[in-house]
Amino acid sequence: MDKRILLPTDYSKNALNAIRYAQQLYAKVRCDFYLVNAFQASGYTLDSMMVPEPGERFYEMAKHESEEGMNRLLEILKLHPENPKHRFHTICTFNGLVEAVKNIVASKDIDIIVMGTKGVTASKARIFGTGTVAVMERIKACPVIAVPSEYVFNPPKEIVFPTDYKSKYKEKEIDHVKEIAKLHDSKINVVHIDRDKDGQLNKKEESNKLLLQDILDGTDYEMHFLTATKTSDGINLFVESKGGDMIAFLNRRHLFFGSILSNPLVKEIGYDPKVPILELNDN
């Protein structure tokens, strides 16, 4: 069960916390971790007609600063006991975050991305950082785990999986949830929030529910039904009452509604997550 895991870093405390979370989440798994820092040169923008070339002063200054940061990060990581199952690789690249991530996901065949929810410049008003949202919106090839700032690792014994049963699931989409559940003997809590309060599923929804049960067969799971006027209220209430350690959700990408920000779960609770969020992609 070897994993290739991408860990974007801006050398912030939050980014380091996400790296620690990934190390502990996959402590029993042979992993290749790819630490990536996407740097830009002072005075240049990525969409500018003028792009600094290697050898030019501003490029070399930015590259040096990025590499120095990476060396410091490696020294910090060495302070903790080394896991013989884990190997680290470093990448410092002149690029924007999303493009850098997209390129590395493709070239290194990355299985999953783990990153913090905010970086150095994050404001308290927007806890779920723009970089994290951008990666979740635009990287479709693999899932993303977003780790809240200063979240202390807790084995995800209770995984909350909200659903509206409106679309079919595929086994490949749910594999990452099942894998984490098996690693940590987790229980998957499938939570259907009923906003109409009639308690009824139509034929299509009932069929999708049965399909999801087939996919989850062999794991420890339980189906729940809650009534709430807002999806986020129901999820937050469930997480608090059951002690949820992770929220997993499928980010459906529709032709006209492709933005993660249109997803009510992310819009309402994603900006201030209390537990790590595993965003799955439809394939």
Side-chain angles (χ1 to χ4, degrees):
M1 199 199 290
D2 292 9
K3 304 289 288 183
R4 289 172 300 281
I5 300 172
L6 183 59
L7 304 170
T9 179
D10 56 3
Y11 309 129
S12 65
K13 182 180 174 184
N14 185 47
L16 176 61
N17 190 54
I19 293 167
R20 297 280 189 224
Y21 182 88
Q23 288 178 286
Q24 291 171 288
L25 186 68
Y26 293 105
K28 301 173 187 173
V29 182
R30 290 178 62 86
C31 295
D32 280 290
F33 289 111
Y34 292 87
L35 299 164
V36 60
N37 175 251
F39 67 87
Q40 298 179 30
S42 177
Y44 292 87
T45 59
L46 289 166
D47 55 0
S48 167
M49 294 296 287
M50 296 182 63
V51 178
E53 298 289 337
E56 290 183 11
R57 178 168 166 256
F58 287 119
Y59 180 97
E60 293 301 329
M61 284 172 61
K63 181 185 175 188
H64 177 74
E65 187 178 333
S66 175
E67 290 173 345
E68 285 289 297
M70 192 65 78
N71 289 334
R72 288 194 299 272
L73 175 57
L74 289 174
E75 289 302 313
I76 291 169
L77 293 176
K78 285 177 186 174
L79 296 176
H80 280 243
E82 191 177 352
N83 185 335
K85 291 179 180 287
H86 292 173
R87 292 190 303 177
F88 282 93
H89 311 269
T90 62
I91 301 169
C92 296
T93 178
F94 175 74
N95 214 333
L97 174 64
V98 173
E99 281 305 309
V101 167
K102 190 181 291 184
N103 292 341
I104 297 162
V105 165
S107 64
K108 303 297 183 185
D109 195 21
I110 296 297
D111 295 303
I112 195 163
I113 301 163
V114 183
M115 61 193 300
T117 53
K118 66 177 180 177
V120 177
T121 59
S123 68
K124 288 185 179 177
R126 187 163 181 145
I127 296 175
F128 209 144
T130 53
T132 312
V133 170
V135 169
M136 284 179 157
E137 283 186 343
R138 294 177 56 191
I139 304 301
K140 304 178 183 180
C142 67
V144 179
I145 295 178
V147 184
S149 181
E150 299 178 14
Y151 181 82
V152 178
F153 179 79
N154 203 31
K157 295 296 185 185
E158 299 282 343
I159 300 173
V160 180
F161 187 79
T163 178
D164 56 12
Y165 296 127
K166 291 192 184 304
S167 49
K168 287 184 179 180
Y169 287 105
K170 300 172 193 168
E171 190 138 12
K172 196 163 77 167
E173 295 169 343
I174 314 297
D175 275 350
H176 287 273
V177 184
K178 292 169 68 174
E179 180 186 78
I180 290 171
K182 286 176 182 175
L183 275 174
H184 296 280
D185 296 320
S186 317
K187 181 177 182 180
I188 300 171
N189 293 287
V190 179
V191 182
H192 177 235
I193 309 294
D194 181 30
R195 299 172 72 169
D196 300 325
K197 299 189 173 139
D198 62 2
Q200 300 297 312
L201 296 180
N202 61 36
K203 265 188 179 179
K204 179 184 173 186
E205 291 165 350
E206 194 64 53
S207 173
N208 292 336
K209 179 181 178 180
L210 291 172
L211 178 61
L212 181 58
Q213 286 178 297
D214 284 343
I215 292 171
L216 292 175
D217 188 41
T219 64
D220 180 11
Y221 77 91
E222 187 175 345
M223 313 294 262
H224 302 268
F225 181 88
L226 295 176
T227 57
T229 51
K230 285 173 64 179
T231 303
S232 61
D233 289 342
I235 298 301
N236 284 328
L237 185 64
F238 190 90
V239 168
E240 287 170 18
S241 63
K242 296 286 186 180
D245 308 300
M246 176 181 280
I247 297 171
F249 78 99
L250 186 65
N251 183 27
R252 293 285 187 200
R253 286 174 166 77
H254 300 294
L255 188 60
F256 299 108
F257 302 100
S259 171
I260 198 171
L261 298 180
S262 66
N263 185 303
L265 175 64
V266 176
K267 187 184 285 187
E268 295 170 359
I269 72 168
Y271 287 123
D272 188 12
K274 303 295 188 293
V275 297
I277 292 178
L278 167 59
E279 180 241 8
L280 305 162
N281 298 301
D282 55 351
N283 294 296

